[in-house]
Amino acid sequence: TLLRFSGSSLLCPQLRRPPDTALHEGSLSQYDGDSCSWQENYFILLGDFTLQWFESEEALRKGCEPRGSTVLSGYLLLSSPVEYAKSLGDLCQGLAGDSPFADPPGEFLFFLYHPFRRHFCFCAGSAGSRRIWRAALRDGIRYRSTELQRRDSLEAEAFVEAVRFYRQERGRYGAGDLFLGSEPEILGNVLMEDLLPVLRSQVLPSIRGSERRRQQLWLQFLQEVYRLILSEISSEFQGFQKEKEKLQIELEKKIRPDLDQMLTLKDQIASKLQAMVQGPAESCCGQGVEPHLDDVMEELVRPISSGVEAVRSLFAWRVDEMIRLVRSSPVTLLQKELLALGRTSWQPEVMQPCYEEAELYRESLRGLEERFGFHGVTSLILSAQNLMQQLMQNATHTFQQLSQQPLGRASGRHQLTRVLEQVKERVLKKFDYDSGSLRKRFAQEWLVHIFLPFLLKHLESGCKLELPRYESFVFADFGGIINLENLYEETVLAALLRAVGRGEGLRSPGNI
C-alpha cells in the first residue's frame, strides 16, 4: 500500500447518509416497449435511491411486490425526445435514432437513459410533477454514481488504479465516466467497452426486421448481455471480498520484515526512471500543458464557483426565513425549524438550482474532450455537485451546533433573533473560508485528471515502452509489490504538479 501510486484519487466529499424514508413517490405514465403503449404506474424513490414501480399506490400500501426496480447509477436524465433520440443514435450505430415510442399522453416528458440498462420514457401529469421527479432522480443518479469515490479509502483508490492500468495496457487513457457506480458496475462498464465493438460488428448486422424492431432487439440484447456480465462479476467480486482480508494479512507479513529494503530499492529505481522520464515529461508539460493551464483552470472554476455561491445564498435565505418566522410565531417552533434546516441538503427540489449551476457548463466542458481527450465531464459535474451538498450539510450542521447553547440563554424574541443573526454571520465566514479551500483543491485535482492521461498518452512511445529495461532492477521477491508502472507515473505526475504549481504562482489568488 505504501508503494502504490496515489496521485489521482478522485475528490468527492464524505456525505452523511441520505434519509431512510422514501424521497419521492407518485404516478407516472411509462412507455412499455413490449406492448408499444403507455401505462400508468406508481413509482417510489427509496431512501437508498432505488427506483421501484407498482401497478398502483394501493398495491404499494398493501405490501405487494413491485413490478420492477432499478438502481440509478450510470443513468443520464434527458429532457426531450430529441436528446433521447441522439443518445439512441449513438448507441445503435447504423440504425435509425427515432424515439421508439408512440404518441405520449401529455407534453411533460423526461427520460432515463443508460447504454446497457433498461431505458425509461416517462410522462408526468404536470410541469410541477416533472420538475420534482427530475430533481429527485438527479439526486439518486448522483449519489449512486459516485458511490466508490465517496468512500475516499485506500482500497477504493487501489481499485480505481487497477482498472486504470488495465485500460492503459490497451492504449486507453483517462477512464472518466466509466468510473460511475460500484466496483462490479465499473468492471461491467469496462468489459462492455471491450465487447461493444465486437457485438456491433458480429451481432448487429444479423438482427432482422424493421429499423424500429431491429433497434428494440439490439437494445434488449445489450441489456441482457450487461445483466449477465454484472451478475457474474458481482458473484466473483463478492467471493473475492471474503478472501481479501486473508490476502492483506499475507501481504503485510511479506512487507513488514523488508520494508526498509523495499523503500530503498524503490527510491533507487525511481531515481533511474527519473533520469529517463523527467526531461521528456517536462518538455511535454511545457508544450502541451502550461500554455493551456489558465484556460482549463477557468473552465473548472466556473461551475464550482457558481454552484458554491448558489449554496451560500440558499443557506442565508433559509436562515433569514427562520429568523422572520421566529419574529412572528411561537418560540417553540424554533427547534422544529432547526431540524428542517438540517434536512436542506437532502431536499432535491430545494438544492436543484445550486446543482444546475454546474450543469450549465456541461457543453463548454466538452471542449476538454476535443483538446485533451478528457472523457469525464459527467464525473466532474457530479463531483462538483457532491461538494455543494457537502458544503450545505456542513453549514446547516454548524448552525445547529452553534445555536444550541446561546439559544438556551436567550430570553425574548428580540434577543433570540439577534443570536440567530450572529450565528449566521459566523457560519457564513466559515463557509467562505472552507469553500475557498475546497474550490482550490477541486480545481487542482481535476487538472490532474485532465492532464495526467494526456501526458501519459503522449509519453507512451518515448518513455513507457522503455520500462521493460528496468525490470531487472526489481528483486524477484519484491516483484508483486514494487510496480514499475507506478513509479513511472509518479515521475510523470511530479512533472505535472510542478507545471501546475508554476501556473498557480503566476495566477492571482483571487482567481481560485
Side-chain angles (χ1 to χ4, degrees):
T1 301
L2 289 172
L3 304 182
R4 77 181 161 74
F5 170 66
S6 61
S8 63
S9 62
L10 294 174
L11 171 68
C12 210
Q14 288 294 310
L15 298 170
R16 298 184 184 90
R17 288 180 57 82
D20 295 329
T21 56
L23 298 171
H24 189 58
E25 60 182 276
S27 295
L28 288 170
S29 292
Q30 176 188 3
Y31 184 74
D32 180 69
D34 295 330
S35 64
C36 297
S37 63
W38 290 84
Q39 300 177 356
E40 187 168 294
N41 287 315
Y42 195 82
F43 287 82
I44 179 169
L45 184 61
L46 302 177
D48 65 351
F49 294 109
T50 298
L51 183 66
Q52 293 183 344
W53 56 99
F54 297 79
E55 181 180 358
S56 63
E57 182 178 5
E58 183 181 7
L60 168 65
R61 305 304 174 207
K62 285 183 176 180
C64 299
E65 288 294 314
R67 280 184 165 180
S69 66
T70 187
V71 295
L72 293 174
S73 49
Y75 272 95
L76 286 176
L77 186 62
L78 305 176
S79 305
S80 70
V82 174
E83 284 184 292
Y84 182 52
K86 183 180 184 305
S87 296
L88 284 181
D90 294 339
L91 182 61
C92 306
Q93 292 180 2
L95 298 178
D98 295 335
S99 298
F101 55 78
D103 293 336
E107 60 180 304
F108 305 110
L109 297 170
F110 60 103
F111 307 86
L112 281 175
Y113 169 83
H114 190 293
F116 311 126
R117 278 188 166 135
R118 177 175 179 169
H119 300 174
F120 295 87
C121 307
F122 293 126
C123 185
S126 67
S129 174
R130 179 174 64 175
R131 184 182 66 252
I132 295 171
W133 268 113
R134 281 167 54 83
L137 291 170
R138 275 202 183 102
D139 241 25
I141 292 169
R142 176 176 54 82
Y143 194 85
R144 293 301 291 258
S145 295
T146 58
E147 175 183 344
L148 186 66
Q149 292 91 330
R150 282 183 288 101
R151 291 185 206 161
D152 195 24
S153 67
L154 293 176
E155 289 183 359
E157 197 173 316
F159 173 83
V160 168
E161 291 304 298
V163 176
R164 198 168 61 80
F165 284 155
Y166 169 85
R167 294 184 73 254
Q168 287 178 186
E169 288 174 1
R170 287 152 180 77
R172 300 171 189 158
Y173 289 85
D177 293 339
L178 290 176
F179 287 161
L180 295 176
S182 62
E183 289 97 334
E185 289 170 323
I186 291 170
L187 293 174
N189 294 340
V190 171
L191 187 53
M192 288 299 291
E193 180 188 36
D194 291 339
L195 281 177
L196 193 55
V198 178
L199 298 177
R200 278 182 174 144
S201 64
Q202 297 185 6
V203 177
L204 186 55
S206 66
I207 299 177
R208 305 300 178 195
S210 66
E211 286 289 279
R212 180 168 292 185
R213 180 58 177 164
R214 291 181 67 206
Q215 184 186 75
Q216 183 183 29
L217 291 174
W218 171 243
L219 294 176
Q220 290 174 351
F221 175 75
L222 289 181
Q223 290 162 16
E224 183 61 19
V225 169
Y226 186 69
R227 186 190 67 79
L228 291 173
I229 286 175
L230 202 57
S231 175
E232 184 67 22
I233 289 175
S234 297
S235 176
E236 292 187 12
F237 190 78
Q238 189 174 12
F240 171 73
Q241 293 296 96
K242 297 176 181 178
E243 301 177 26
K244 186 174 63 176
E245 186 175 345
K246 179 182 177 182
L247 292 173
Q248 285 178 330
I249 293 173
E250 292 176 355
L251 184 61
E252 286 182 8
K253 287 181 179 178
K254 186 175 181 180
I255 290 176
R256 286 183 184 279
D258 300 315
L259 180 59
D260 290 341
Q261 188 178 1
M262 289 180 186
L263 291 174
T264 300
L265 179 61
K266 170 186 175 289
D267 291 340
Q268 291 172 350
I269 298 173
S271 178
K272 297 178 185 296
L273 286 175
Q274 185 177 13
M276 183 264 292
V277 175
Q278 185 172 339
E282 290 187 344
S283 175
C284 193
C285 282
Q287 296 175 21
V289 175
E290 291 187 54
H292 305 288
L293 277 176
D294 282 344
D295 290 341
V296 175
M297 177 66 83
E298 184 178 350
E299 292 288 341
L300 293 175
V301 168
R302 282 193 298 172
I304 187 64
S305 295
S306 299
V308 166
E309 289 304 314
V311 170
R312 189 186 194 280
S313 298
L314 176 60
F315 169 77
W317 178 81
R318 292 296 292 254
V319 174
D320 287 341
E321 286 294 295
M322 179 193 303
I323 293 172
R324 183 186 61 78
L325 188 65
V326 168
R327 289 195 182 106
S328 59
S329 303
V331 176
T332 53
L333 287 177
L334 181 57
Q335 289 300 327
K336 181 180 178 181
E337 291 299 314
L338 284 171
L339 289 174
L341 179 70
R343 292 193 291 269
T344 302
S345 63
W346 290 110
Q347 294 176 315
E349 192 179 6
V350 174
M351 292 291 296
Q352 192 55 40
C354 305
Y355 299 150
E356 285 177 350
E357 291 294 327
E359 290 284 352
L360 291 174
Y361 295 99
R362 182 180 289 273
E363 288 307 314
S364 65
L365 288 168
R366 291 195 191 283
L368 298 174
E369 180 176 343
E370 298 171 6
R371 288 184 286 165
F372 308 109
F374 175 64
H375 299 285
V377 171
T378 296
S379 295
L380 190 158
I381 290 173
L382 294 179
S383 183
Q385 292 169 339
N386 275 345
L387 189 148
M388 296 172 204
Q389 186 180 29
Q390 181 65 64
L391 285 170
M392 178 60 82
Q393 283 189 350
N394 290 348
T396 54
H397 178 74
T398 303
F399 187 90
Q400 288 173 322
Q401 296 300 309
L402 293 179
S403 299
Q404 293 303 323
Q405 190 173 357
L407 289 179
R409 297 194 300 265
S411 59
R413 290 180 182 173
H414 178 72
Q415 188 176 4
L416 197 59
T417 55
R418 188 174 64 181
V419 168
L420 291 174
E421 290 279 8
Q422 291 172 344
V423 172
K424 183 188 83 168
E425 293 306 315
R426 287 181 63 188
V427 174
L428 288 176
K429 286 182 180 179
K430 185 177 187 303
F431 181 96
D432 292 339
Y433 178 82
D434 290 346
S435 63
S437 300
L438 286 173
R439 275 185 279 190
K440 182 174 182 179
R441 182 183 167 202
F442 177 90
Q444 288 172 333
E445 292 210 6
W446 281 99
L447 282 175
V448 172
H449 294 315
I450 293 166
F451 285 117
L452 182 60
F454 173 78
L455 287 175
L456 292 172
K457 183 176 181 179
H458 281 75
L459 292 170
E460 181 176 30
S461 59
C463 295
K464 185 178 177 181
L465 295 181
E466 298 293 319
L467 289 183
R469 291 172 42 201
Y470 297 85
E471 289 177 355
S472 60
F473 294 107
V474 181
F475 300 160
D477 290 346
F478 301 161
I481 300 170
I482 297 178
N483 185 287
L484 283 177
E485 191 168 356
N486 281 348
L487 300 181
Y488 164 71
E489 290 202 4
E490 282 182 354
T491 304
V492 178
L493 176 64
L496 174 59
L497 292 178
R498 285 193 295 271
V500 171
R502 285 193 294 270
E504 289 180 353
L506 299 173
R507 199 179 299 116
S508 64
N511 289 337
I512 297 293

